[in-house]
Amino acid sequence: MESTGNRRAVSTGILLAFSVAGLLLTRGVPAAVRDLYPTALPAHPYFVPDQAALLYVALPFACLMAVMVLLLPGIFLVLARGRNDRFETVVIKGFGAALGIHFVTTTVAKLLLTGPISPKTFLVLTSGAGVVTWGILAARLRQPGTMRWPLDDPIARRRIAWMVAMLWITVAVLVPTLFWQDLSADGFEALEIGRSLSWTVLPRALTKSGFLGLGIGMLPMAYPVHWFVMLFGPIEAAARLPLVLYLPVLFAALLAIIEFQSPRRLRPVEVTAVVLALAVFVVTMGYSASYNSYFADLSSPAAFETLTITVMVAAAYFLWSEQQWWFVGAAVLSYLARPTGLLFILLFGAGVFLLAPERRRQSLFLVTATVGLWGILYVAVEILLPSLTESGLGYPASSILERFHYLRLDDWRRVIYVIVPGGIIPALALLAVRQQDRIAQSLTFAALGYFLVFYVPAFTNLHHFVPAMILPVVVFWRIVLRQSRHRWLVGAALVGGVAAFFVSLPRHFEIDRTMRWIGNATAYHIGNYGSPHFAGHRESYDGQDLLKQLFPADWEVQDPSDELVGGLQLIYYASQSVESGTVTNYIVQPRSEPPPSGFLGLGEDETGVVYVRDVDRWQRDRFQPRRTDYRSWLYEIPRETMSGIWGVRAGNYTINLGTLPGIWRLF
């Protein structure tokens, strides 16, 4: 037994050393891929054979090494506890532990060091955490006694291969959208919220105060974004690669709850069907879920919604497997990730309370304790934190009420948003209540309740339905594992998954780089974007109203296919190195600076002035026709449904609660 423990200690140490060395050797690869085509992309950017070694070998390898370096400290710590956990549970817990470890180490570093955390410091912290946790694990392995080792299970080893393949294929296939697609306004926000953690303990938003309320979530997602910024630099992909980190963890969480107390485990072909359902989900969210008029950005909402559903599924698993503290942690994390985490936990807890009488006391206690913690967080974030600033709080929890100001009851297309993204067949399993066990029934209760809550708001978007997309996958496979004759169900799931995949593909795969080109011709002098000092970096956001005078915001444009919609992401692209031969056509500068020669003043505010050299080029940039038909035809959502600004004007609602006696005061 002692020799076995030594071998395991040595093998895990080699794994850690290999991961750190691999990351050190390939850290520059993602930035090199990002800068591979500074101007025009290849004719077929999704397959570039002359760069195959870089794009489809070195790049996925670099991302795999990064994920391993980030997750191994948490996994080592979980293994060192010596619990009788399966591999899938170790992965889920390891992810949660890694979040905690990196939060603690970086927070201590920020408090002790002067200036922002540098990439070298972060690499030392993550590698050091890996070494320390490996030492704890190695000491535990040398102790006498039995310790379940997840990798002794051949099924676990096959599933590791699935996770590696999932990560590798996702990076290789999505290279253009990960690295070459422009940031959307939401993508820039995600990048900046994560980037702020180089200076601050809590993430800061682009709002005036910078403090994030609980009405939008997005707090936990900032930390993985920051990790990738530190490892690969502040490139667009740093805000998108967390998706690649979350997918294997979501895969493990789904398998854990599907197989919990089931008569058997999933066979390889059934695992393939689960992976196929995740592929449909990624295609749906990655190409059709967006508020941008021209393309979807993998960073937002795709990445942070994947984090949200991951911790929701983990919370459901921990509640049923009676791992109380892990449940509370996952439940609180789900609420911080998205405010609808509260809704999910209440619905799921109610389902367990109603359907499992023997668990009523425990589930009621745990859900009540979690709600109590949410209340403490609410007081801390929404009441105490605003007292630190005169600017108030951005996205407060009360803003959620506005989503239910206007209701619509006849938009039946929303049912498609639940049925197709999970692979079609799993959603139908929600109707087979008699074939479901209590775990599946509690998830059905939560999924249907969640869907109904988000069916009624007049103004909604695809990503609001994510839990209702994924939870049916668990319900379906729990039914399959309890059936003696199941082959036709597996076949149906595979066929449905393939069909859902193809109908969820976008109508075109063009990569939009408009803001990159315009930013290359823009000199932006408000604040100091990229400054080592946080105040100067944040000050650069103050010019957003000036940028709107160049290219208006979405809600100010009648038809974005005719007039270019702008955003703060132009700041990011104006900060990039200028290509040789490029002529500056736009200047945004403080009022105190003298007017540039040869430029026409276009507009000004208390922050600064915006100038244009060639008005004809500005008109061409602004009014050149652009495609807005990127989504799958199945998920095409009108602006009047996505945005209340346009929807109210168009009367795109059935009920206005603000006109009802008494209720209007809420709004």
Side-chain angles (χ1 to χ4, degrees), residues 27 113-125 198 226 230:
R27 281 185 68 198
L113 302 176
T114 58
I117 289 183
S118 68
K120 289 183 179 179
T121 301
F122 182 79
L123 188 59
V124 169
L125 292 173
S198 294
H226 179 246
M230 290 291 98

Side-chain angles (χ1 to χ4, degrees), residues 168-188:
W168 200 288
I169 293 171
T170 301
V171 173
V173 171
L174 297 180
V175 166
T177 53
L178 284 169
F179 289 87
W180 300 330
Q181 181 85 269
D182 275 358
L183 285 169
S184 66
D186 290 336
F188 177 77

